[in-house]
Amino acid sequence: MTAVQHSDVLILGGGPAGYACALRAGQRGLSAVLIEADELGGTCLHRGCIPTKALLHAAEVADISRAAGTFGIRARFDGVDMAAVHAYKESVVTRLYTGLAGLVASRNVTVVRGAGRYLGRRAVDVEGTVYTGGAVVLATGSSPRRIPGISIGGRIVTSDEALALPYVPETAIVLGGGVIGVEFASLWTSLGSSVTILESLPRLLPGEDPWTSATLERALRRRGITVNTGITVTEASQTKDTVTVTPDRGEALNADVVLVAVGREPRSRALADAGITVDRGFVCVDERLATNHEGVYAVGDLVAGPQLAHRGFAHGIFVAEVIAQRDPVPVVEQFIPRITYSQPEVASVGLTEPAARERYGDVTTTVYDLGGNGKSQILRSSGGVKVIRRGPAHGDGPVVGIHCVGERISEFIGEAQVIVGWEALPAEVGPFLHAHPTQSEALGEAMFALSGSPLHGHS
């Protein structure tokens, strides 16, 4: 074992949480060592957010080309060249990776390539070399969750393998109706697959508002996607040409590909072996994201809560500020925006209606249908915007939740986050102008309705 190398901040994991922490530590004048077993950028950049959204954009182009005639444009959809689609996807990843690597190199951050093993006592072993830090940040992320009894391989894939699939499956079964499952079901449908979603819980996107789930499910069914909820699959078998899954009720189903998309689990087993306290796989932390080991913090997907890259960024920045002995504002889970990049998109921030009623008792809601929005009609988008505020119907309590379904609806979730985060009153937001025609007008219309003065709606 070689000599110990020391830094102010030692970070295990180079995904969004880890590299954000390293960048902010460098800005604060701290020396930082960032250990990454694979590629800088982690799952988000290489096997998650970025490549998935690139594929979803390619799928959107396919949908637009099919529908070109309805807009008076003479175009024809001739098929999908998956090799070219993957080349486009990888070009996006490569450009972002190159930029990130250059940025990290400019910020007093040393990147160590290799599999790190946390030893305790603020030390990490990387292939025989021990690195120590004045503080250690654990940012080892997550991996696709498996279903006991179903082996991954061949035609049974996780999102990792699905991202590199060299062909468009003629038929596909998606096990899991969460964000990952819905996004892949949407993009495969756009590329020409016949898709069935099997979800064990009563509805799709179970973490979202029930109105959101119902609205999205109707939209997916209109696109030809079969959605079956309340169904559990514990067995799958495959031959050279097909996969068969056996649900707990109903007949066995066959497909070219089965995607296991039942969520992601934290990479924490080795951390637990080293004495870090975990609960159901998630690292236990306090309000400053500190673990039970002094000077050791955990960030991102290791910490229970929404497994989102932007949450990881915020965690990394927060911990770097704590280590630099500043007093940062904590990350408030309720104010983290959530987006599912399906067709149509889902975007939300704040509490669902059931959660709001449980917390506050009396709440008032309104739904503005995108059928009355000019830009939505131009885009041929259906869906709506649901806003939840505290208080009775004739009051004016603050907005505590905003939930949206529609084409490109994610583009105004930033405004929704500000409204919820500042606990704005509908009457305060209503007077702010929304450019016409934009889909963001739907948010303004919902605020008018909640403040008792709907404009393009019925009183």
Side-chain angles (χ1 to χ4, degrees), residues 268-409:
S268 61
R269 186 171 301 174
L271 304 177
D273 291 342
I276 295 291
T277 300
V278 302
D279 178 21
R280 292 170 295 176
F282 294 101
V283 174
C284 298
V285 296
D286 64 13
E287 69 280 357
R288 294 174 77 79
L289 298 178
T291 71
N292 60 307
H293 286 196
E294 184 179 358
V296 179
Y297 303 83
V299 293
D301 287 1
L302 281 178
V303 179
Q307 294 175 311
L308 300 167
H310 43 285
R311 175 177 179 258
F313 290 138
H315 276 184
I317 294 168
F318 174 82
V319 165
E321 299 284 20
V322 168
I323 295 169
Q325 298 185 344
R326 295 179 176 244
D327 190 23
V329 176
V331 180
V332 181
E333 303 279 285
Q334 182 179 333
F335 301 152
I336 298 173
R338 307 175 297 274
I339 300 172
T340 302
Y341 292 91
S342 52
Q343 185 196 39
E345 291 182 340
V346 170
S348 64
V349 63
L351 299 176
T352 63
E353 183 176 346
R357 291 192 183 282
E358 181 179 351
R359 180 176 299 187
Y360 301 118
D362 205 359
V363 301
T364 302
T365 71
T366 191
V367 175
Y368 183 80
D369 194 301
L370 293 183
N373 178 267
K375 186 58 178 288
S376 297
Q377 292 309 298
I378 291 169
L379 295 173
R380 299 288 175 88
S381 176
S382 61
V385 174
K386 177 177 180 177
V387 181
I388 304 164
R389 69 161 175 81
R390 292 171 56 182
H394 299 291
D396 195 21
V399 176
V400 296
I402 297 175
H403 306 270
C404 315
V405 180
E407 299 294 327
R408 306 182 190 178
I409 209 77

Side-chain angles (χ1 to χ4, degrees), residues 335 349 399 416-424:
F335 301 152
V349 63
V399 176
Q417 181 189 29
V418 171
I419 293 170
V420 173
W422 282 353
E423 298 184 326

Side-chain angles (χ1 to χ4, degrees), residues 16 40-51 92-94 96-97 100:
L40 193 63
T43 294
C44 173
L45 179 54
H46 299 281
R47 296 175 302 282
C49 314
I50 298 302
V92 174
V93 172
T94 299
L96 290 172
Y97 172 74
L100 175 61

Side-chain angles (χ1 to χ4, degrees), residues 139-219:
T140 51
S142 61
S143 58
R145 192 179 298 277
R146 308 296 181 93
I147 297 176
I150 297 181
S151 299
I152 302 300
R155 294 179 176 273
I156 303 175
V157 301
T158 68
S159 57
D160 287 354
E161 295 81 25
L163 280 170
L165 207 64
Y167 60 92
V168 178
E170 184 174 337
T171 56
I173 295 173
V174 176
L175 304 183
V179 173
I180 296 172
V182 166
E183 288 186 347
F184 271 97
S186 180
L187 78 86
W188 276 339
T189 298
S190 297
L191 295 179
S193 299
S194 175
V195 182
T196 297
I197 301 175
L198 302 179
E199 167 58 48
S200 62
L201 294 175
R203 57 189 177 90
L204 299 179
L205 302 184
E208 295 290 349
D209 190 86
W211 169 84
T212 299
S213 298
T215 304
L216 176 66
E217 183 173 331
R218 286 194 298 271

